[in-house]
């Protein structure tokens, strides 16, 4: 389901990106895939980074994984970095070289890499500027300036590189953003998108609902839950939570309780798995004692997870149903769509 977005050109410190009034009068667009493809194909994208903002759960990291999978060779050669895992003191070139070594096991010289890909330019994705701040305890306010200086140098040396950076909206005021940067904000799900997402979820999981005697998922019309459901990831978590005996309609739930409940289910299932000698890791035919899942994100490699056995329409999951044992899906730190 295409996510709505807004986009502006940053024009200096007078622009406060965290101020909701700034975004209130901007048009909302629905052509995210087309816009990103056109942006990265334009010469302008080699001169300045694309900054993607959103609230927690808005889908920033998933978007970067999909871009890494779908804008790979021959169009681009994509390298995706999770900023919480890098050495922020290193220069951009060293960070990229280290990521390529981690992904492929090969030591790669950036200059040789970029020259060899002249016809298929590199696309560097730097995911989680806000996590860089949180994991280090330092304010790397000049990181985006460092990114643009790297792009400027590479363009001067005829090795153009496209770079995309993601961050939470609520922490971006700490960053020194280069003038002229294109800033894209991922929008919350409105009622229409929530209803469309819910219809897909319910249609995909109709067999499970009938087998488990569970009602179809719907977001209760309570202000706190409606607010949570505005973010795609949290909407998915609410649906997974409700798949266990429709607990959502009976719970006084907020974000903290939701996270706590899903984590407790996951830990309970992992402990049960250990007592069973790990046998639940294998997919079983219907009627066996556990659920086993394998998630496929985009067109990339699988990552393992555990859940209530319902189908994840948010990230294109294939779920193997084997029981009604519950437990939330585990997010892999190693992105499935890395290239």
């Amino acid at each position: 389901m295409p996510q709505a977005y807004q986009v502006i050109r940053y024009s200096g410190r007078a622009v406060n990106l965290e101020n909701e009034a700034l975004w209130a009068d901007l048009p909302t667009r629905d052509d995210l895939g087309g816009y990103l493809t056109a942006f990265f194909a334009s010469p302008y994208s080699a001169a300045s980074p694309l900054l993607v903002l959103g609230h927690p759960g808005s889908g920033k990291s998933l978007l970067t994984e999909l871009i890494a999978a779908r804008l790979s060779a021959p169009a681009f050669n994509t390298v995706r970095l999770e900023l919480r895992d890098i050495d922020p003191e290193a220069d951009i070139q060293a960070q990229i070289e280290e990521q390529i070594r981690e992904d492929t096991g090969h030591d790669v010289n950036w200059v040789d890499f970029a020259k060899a890909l002249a016809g298929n330019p590199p696309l560097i994705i730097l995911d989680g500027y806000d996590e860089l701040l949180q994991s280090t305890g330092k304010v790397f306010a000049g990181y985006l300036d460092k990114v643009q200086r790297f792009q400027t140098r590479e363009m001067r040396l005829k090795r153009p590189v496209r770079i995309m950076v993601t961050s939470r909206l609520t922490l971006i005021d700490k960053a020194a953003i280069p003038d002229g940067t294109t800033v894209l904000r991922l929008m919350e799900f409105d009622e229409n998108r929530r209803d469309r997402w819910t219809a897909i979820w319910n249609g995909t999981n109709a067999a499970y609902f009938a087998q488990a005697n569970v009602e179809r998922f719907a977001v209760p019309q309570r202000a706190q839950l409606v607010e949570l459901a505005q973010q795609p990831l949290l909407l998915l978590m609410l649906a997974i939570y409700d798949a266990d005996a429709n607990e959502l309609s009976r719970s006084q739930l907020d974000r903290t309780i939701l996270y706590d409940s899903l984590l407790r289910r996951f830990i309970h299932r992992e402990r049960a798995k250990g007592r069973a000698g790990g046998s639940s890791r294998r997919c079983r035919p219907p009627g066996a004692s556990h659920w086993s899942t394998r998630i496929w994100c985009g067109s990339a490699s699988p990552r393992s997870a555990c859940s209530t056995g319902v189908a994840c329409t948010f990230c294109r999951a294939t779920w193997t149903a084997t029981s009604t044992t519950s437990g939330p899906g585990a997010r892999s730190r190693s992105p499935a769509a890395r290239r």
Side-chain angles (χ1 to χ4, degrees):
M1 184 185 306
Q3 194 161 349
Y5 69 98
Q6 295 174 321
V7 63
I8 63 170
R9 185 71 56 81
Y10 186 78
S11 57
R13 275 290 182 184
V15 178
N16 181 1
L17 295 174
E18 293 189 25
N19 185 0
E20 290 293 339
L22 171 69
W23 304 94
D25 296 327
L26 294 178
T28 299
R29 302 176 56 168
D30 294 302
D31 59 336
L32 181 59
Y35 177 85
L36 291 173
T37 302
F39 178 85
F40 290 129
S42 71
Y44 174 79
S45 64
S48 182
L50 172 66
L51 178 60
V52 176
L53 302 178
H55 289 298
S58 61
K60 300 181 295 297
S61 292
L62 180 60
L63 175 63
T64 65
E65 293 180 2
L66 291 174
I67 290 173
R70 297 187 177 186
L71 291 184
S72 55
F76 296 94
N77 282 274
T78 306
V79 182
R80 181 178 180 273
L81 295 79
E82 294 185 348
L83 292 181
R84 67 174 177 264
D85 296 331
I86 59 100
D87 176 8
E89 305 287 357
D91 62 28
I92 302 297
Q93 177 173 326
Q95 292 172 7
I96 297 170
E97 290 173 342
E98 173 59 24
Q99 187 65 55
I100 294 174
R101 189 195 66 78
E102 182 180 326
D103 289 343
T104 67
H106 293 284
D107 289 321
V108 174
N109 177 274
W110 167 257
V111 175
D112 295 337
F113 179 77
K115 284 183 177 178
L117 301 175
N120 312 108
L123 169 58
I124 310 302
I125 299 174
L126 305 173
D127 184 32
Y129 173 65
D130 55 287
E131 293 186 70
L132 174 66
L133 302 178
Q134 294 176 48
S135 65
T136 62
K138 298 180 181 178
V139 178
F140 290 91
Y143 188 77
L144 296 177
D145 274 330
K146 185 160 69 171
V147 168
Q148 188 186 45
R149 289 196 301 272
F150 176 71
Q151 286 186 283
T152 301
R153 186 197 76 180
E154 293 302 293
M155 187 163 54
R156 186 178 67 250
L157 296 173
K158 303 188 184 306
R159 299 191 300 257
V161 55
R162 277 75 175 168
I163 300 182
M164 170 180 170
V165 184
T166 71
S167 178
R168 290 188 185 185
L169 180 65
T170 51
L171 289 175
I172 201 60
D173 67 330
K174 295 179 172 61
I177 302 173
D179 288 352
T181 297
T182 298
V183 183
L184 185 152
R185 176 184 177 175
L186 296 176
M187 300 301 294
E188 296 78 12
F189 269 9
D190 57 16
E191 184 177 2
N192 177 55
R193 280 182 168 78
R194 291 198 304 273
D195 290 345
R196 289 165 57 194
W197 189 98
T198 300
I200 295 171
W201 175 272
N202 286 333
T204 305
N205 293 296
Y208 164 75
F209 294 148
Q211 175 189 349
N213 195 28
V214 172
E215 296 293 329
R216 292 162 63 88
F217 171 66
V219 178
Q221 293 304 303
R222 300 202 300 268
Q224 203 164 34
L225 294 182
V226 171
E227 181 181 0
L228 288 176
Q230 291 177 346
Q231 305 302 336
L233 178 59
L234 296 180
L235 177 59
L236 170 64
M237 294 176 70
L238 289 172
I240 293 174
Y241 181 88
D242 191 62
D244 186 6
N246 295 122
E247 289 189 14
L248 189 61
S249 60
R250 302 191 300 272
S251 302
Q252 296 299 315
L253 200 66
D254 60 18
R255 188 186 305 241
T256 302
I257 297 173
L258 175 63
Y259 288 167
D260 178 77
S261 175
L262 292 178
L263 285 171
R264 287 177 183 275
R265 290 187 195 178
F266 176 73
I267 292 169
H268 175 77
R269 187 182 186 283
E270 289 299 297
R271 293 181 63 187
K273 187 188 303 180
R275 290 194 296 270
S279 60
S280 63
R281 290 185 182 276
R282 297 190 294 272
C283 295
R284 301 176 178 217
S289 60
H290 295 282
W291 292 98
S292 181
T293 65
R294 185 164 291 258
I295 297 179
W296 301 80
C297 281
S299 58
S301 304
R303 62 184 180 186
S304 296
C306 302
S307 186
T308 55
V310 291
C312 177
T313 55
F314 184 67
C315 56
R316 300 181 174 186
T318 300
W319 303 75
T320 303
T322 53
S323 176
T324 56
T325 301
S326 63
R331 180 180 175 184
S332 169
R333 292 183 72 247
S334 242
R338 260 188 192 161
R339 286 293 182 269

